[in-house]
Amino acid sequence: MISPWPAANGARPDPSEAAARRRWAVRSLDLAAVRLSTRPPRLPVDTRVLGTPPGEALLTAGVNAGPLVPGSRGLGTTSASLLGSTSARTAAVADFPLTLVRPPESHPGEPAPDGPVLLTLDAGHGHNSLAAAVRRPPRVRRAGRLLTEVLTPWRQKIPEVRVEEVCLEDVPACAVPTAGGHAALVALGHRVASGDTPRLGAVAHAAVRRATSPVLSVPYG
């Protein structure tokens, strides 16, 4: 667990304020570590306070994490504040996997810890034939056959994992959060964003906003 303590806006507090912020960061990490250490599976927790801006700290830490889980404390008024502006920006530009977890108070539902893992496949990335099939009737039947072809090598590689195929004829940003309503985890891909105001893609953004379960986002492209 890490906590970057300099201000995200680059402001430089006076020494006494900086010391108080660092003490707050240390205390917050210590309390979180105690809570996690008493819950199953009771894994060891290492904590560090990093003296770098939050965005830089998260991107640096994420390189060696598997995956990074950014905080969900957002204080803004936009939809991105469900994650917090720093975490949302990090999620958009990260070239490593990260898990996005909404704060419990932001949604009425509860994740299903014993539920399935929902793996979503982007029909438009890496599977041109699948994308073409989705655009032509009968779309669902053809997409289903191609989905089977995509998953067959993984079934052979990990036969002990039961896989159920479902093709949904709907807008992805609507279908994924709905399908993930009873999942323990929603796994999807995201394009690594660029530019001055990088943002999460529509599907990942919708999943974070509406899914009650954690969202594992894996970069591609």
Side-chain angles (χ1 to χ4, degrees):
M1 294 179 61
I2 64 170
S3 177
W5 59 274
N9 59 10
R12 294 185 178 182
D14 60 64
S16 61
E17 184 180 355
R21 289 186 179 183
R22 186 176 181 84
R23 287 195 299 270
W24 177 86
V26 171
R27 175 175 170 76
S28 298
L29 284 176
D30 288 345
L31 291 174
V34 169
R35 289 196 298 269
L36 289 175
S37 64
T38 59
R39 297 179 179 180
R42 293 183 172 83
L43 299 175
V45 180
D46 177 39
T47 62
R48 285 181 293 163
V49 176
L50 303 181
T52 52
E56 178 183 340
L58 288 174
L59 290 173
T60 300
V63 173
N64 298 316
L68 177 72
V69 184
S72 57
R73 177 175 172 266
L75 301 179
T77 57
T78 65
S79 57
S81 66
L82 290 169
L83 282 178
S85 58
T86 299
S87 294
R89 181 182 178 88
T90 301
V93 302
D95 58 358
F96 46 78
L98 68 163
T99 301
L100 311 173
V101 184
R102 292 182 59 185
E105 64 274 11
S106 69
H107 59 80
E110 292 291 338
D114 298 324
V117 173
L118 174 66
L119 172 62
T120 67
L121 295 181
D122 181 357
H125 177 74
H127 305 287
N128 293 329
S129 57
L130 181 57
V134 169
R135 296 190 186 101
R136 295 194 306 265
R139 292 173 293 184
V140 175
R141 185 169 66 250
R142 293 184 180 181
R145 289 200 299 266
L146 291 170
L147 179 60
T148 300
E149 293 177 7
V150 171
L151 292 176
T152 294
W154 292 100
R155 281 196 170 103
Q156 296 171 347
K157 185 176 181 179
I158 318 174
E160 65 273 16
V161 176
R162 185 174 67 88
V163 179
E164 179 181 353
E165 301 172 17
V166 178
C167 288
L168 300 177
E169 192 174 13
D170 198 355
V171 177
C174 296
V176 171
T178 301
H182 301 290
L185 177 71
V186 175
L188 48 77
H190 75 264
R191 293 185 184 275
V192 179
S194 59
D196 296 332
T197 56
R199 297 181 179 180
L200 279 173
V203 178
H205 181 77
V208 174
R209 287 202 58 174
R210 295 175 51 197
T212 57
S213 59
V215 177
L216 172 63
S217 187
V218 181
Y220 64 82

